[in-house]
Amino acid sequence: MKHFESVAQLLQAASARHPRSQAARAEAHTRWAACAKPLGSLGVLEEDLEQIAAATGSADVDLSRRAVLVFCADNGVIAQGVTQCGPEITTVVANSMARGTCSIDQTARVARCGVVVVDMGILDYDPDAAGLLNRRIANGTADFTSGPAMTRAQAEQAILAGAQVALDQVLRGKTLLATGELGMANTTTAAAVASVLLGVEPESITGRGAGLSDEGLARKVRAIETGLAVNAPDPSDPIDVLAKVGGFDIAAMCGAFLAGAACHVPVLADGLISTVAALCALRLCPECDDVILASHVSAEPAGKLILEALGKKPLICAGMRLGEGTGAVAAMPLLDIACAIYGGATFAQVGMEAYVPQN
């Protein structure tokens, strides 16, 4: 497979679990039981490697070739004063990423991870900027307080664009992907989407993003409440929710998770915005559950609720909320440690009797 022609085709491909899924999961569990250490002593790390085995269909877990996909886009709801920065900051930071000087670049160097910076709809964009992959849908989304953020066709285009970026990386040999994002007001769009999908009031899950004042937070909540009232997104239709109150970055990350499922490659979710995208993917295709891994729990109010809705346990609880994919990439060395122990000495090799489960 080299292209996804439609969202329907993508969903069909994503819904086909690997035929060796359960057998590989069971084999990975057996391997963990043979490792010379107390049973289950690595907690979520053991569960994640078993999940990766199920996703890939092989208990021989290889996460050595990886990339973080950072989808960049601006959001029209910024006009409602929901951020302390203007859209020009998206351009500045995206160009910094492309030059390798941003937080995600520094994190990725430590984790031996490639960084793919994707322009999905930066408002103040430079068509000649080096290092940015152009997958632009439009010049930013519309202000959802006065109508849909995008058309349904644009939402599907963004999902497919994200899926294709992920597929291209898999075709280049990547065995682990991570999702990241950049764009002013995207904690607003993420909170709006989360509010609809979780069925909770915006006030209870909307956070301060990059550091809003009390007054700014109140404006943010009002903007989300207005957007939901004006657009009436359908909670049973994630694409409708994305189109009406989402962003191009969230839609693209949703596509990346679906592509991971279609290709049987695990995808690490970053923080709030990334996990909201993962929830959209899961609601569109429950079978993609195996490929979605949670890196950390976001400090934003909706962070824990989204992970609970996904049924995922985070590897890191450090109060992180930087974005850009930094949390997802920060989790990669932990998975490396798990792989080292998973492939290390067994009870038999060290000459001791294996632990057995106790009642």
Side-chain angles (χ1 to χ4, degrees):
M1 181 184 298
K2 293 186 177 181
H3 299 284
F4 296 114
E5 301 295 339
S6 67
V7 171
Q9 184 207 41
L10 172 61
L11 292 175
Q12 182 178 21
S15 66
R17 279 196 166 105
H18 199 289
R20 287 201 71 253
S21 175
Q22 293 310 309
R25 185 190 294 272
E27 184 180 344
H29 185 77
T30 299
R31 288 196 192 185
W32 274 126
C35 288
K37 63 172 190 59
L39 297 175
S41 54
L42 288 180
V44 179
L45 286 168
E46 295 190 31
E47 295 173 16
D48 279 0
L49 257 62
E50 291 176 17
Q51 181 184 322
I52 291 167
T56 62
S58 173
D60 297 325
V61 176
D62 176 11
L63 306 177
S64 60
R65 300 181 300 280
R66 54 262 198 132
V68 58
L69 316 177
V70 187
F71 297 100
C72 310
D74 283 304
N75 299 281
V77 71
I78 195 173
Q80 300 304 312
V82 297
T83 69
Q84 62 171 313
C85 302
E88 68 278 0
I89 299 302
T90 306
T91 305
V92 170
V93 179
N95 289 339
S96 176
M97 279 186 192
R99 291 193 303 270
T101 56
C102 208
S103 298
I104 184 57
D105 302 297
Q106 294 155 0
T107 309
R109 278 192 284 274
V110 173
R112 306 185 323 279
C113 176
V115 180
V116 181
V117 188
V118 188
D119 180 359
M120 296 297 301
I122 298 172
L123 181 61
D124 182 22
Y125 79 105
D126 178 0
D128 299 319
L132 287 175
L133 187 60
N134 185 346
R135 295 294 182 267
R136 296 176 57 78
I137 307 299
N139 212 25
T141 58
D143 180 354
F144 66 50
T145 64
S146 57
M150 64 190 93
T151 66
R152 188 180 183 94
Q154 287 177 320
E156 293 191 356
Q157 184 183 353
I159 290 171
L160 286 174
Q164 193 63 48
V165 170
L167 175 59
D168 289 345
Q169 289 300 307
V170 173
L171 292 175
R172 294 181 184 189
K174 297 298 187 294
T175 55
L176 175 64
L177 300 178
T179 53
E181 40 60 39
L182 168 67
M184 297 303 103
N186 59 9
T187 59
T188 304
T189 54
V193 173
S195 176
V196 177
L197 295 183
L198 297 178
V200 298
E201 293 300 318
E203 186 175 9
S204 67
I205 61 168
T206 302
R208 298 177 186 272
L212 284 176
S213 64
D214 289 347
E215 182 181 351
L217 178 60
R219 284 196 301 270
K220 188 174 180 179
V221 172
R222 285 197 300 271
I224 295 171
E225 291 172 340
T226 301
L228 299 185
V230 166
N231 294 293
D234 180 359
S236 68
D237 182 357
I239 298 179
D240 183 67
V241 179
L242 285 169
K244 288 178 175 174
V245 295
F248 296 140
D249 54 346
I250 300 175
M253 287 188 291
C254 172
F257 286 111
L258 292 170
C263 300
H264 307 299
V265 170
V267 186
L268 268 165
D270 190 39
L272 170 66
I273 302 157
S274 180
T275 52
V276 166
L279 185 59
C280 290
L282 191 66
R283 294 285 176 88
L284 284 168
C285 178
E287 293 83 1
C288 75
D289 175 70
D290 280 348
V291 305
I292 299 172
L293 300 167
S295 62
H296 72 286
V297 56
S298 170
E300 286 286 294
K304 184 179 178 184
L305 288 175
I306 292 291
L307 289 184
E308 289 174 351
L310 286 169
K312 300 296 177 183
K313 299 175 185 177
L315 288 170
I316 301 171
C317 298
M320 298 175 70
R321 54 183 179 84
L322 174 56
E324 301 178 10
T326 51
V329 175
M332 290 178 180
L334 291 175
L335 291 172
D336 288 341
I337 291 168
C339 287
I341 297 173
Y342 178 75
T346 65
F347 287 110
Q349 289 170 333
V350 299
M352 65 178 286
E353 190 171 331
Y355 287 106
V356 295
Q358 300 292 305
N359 292 329

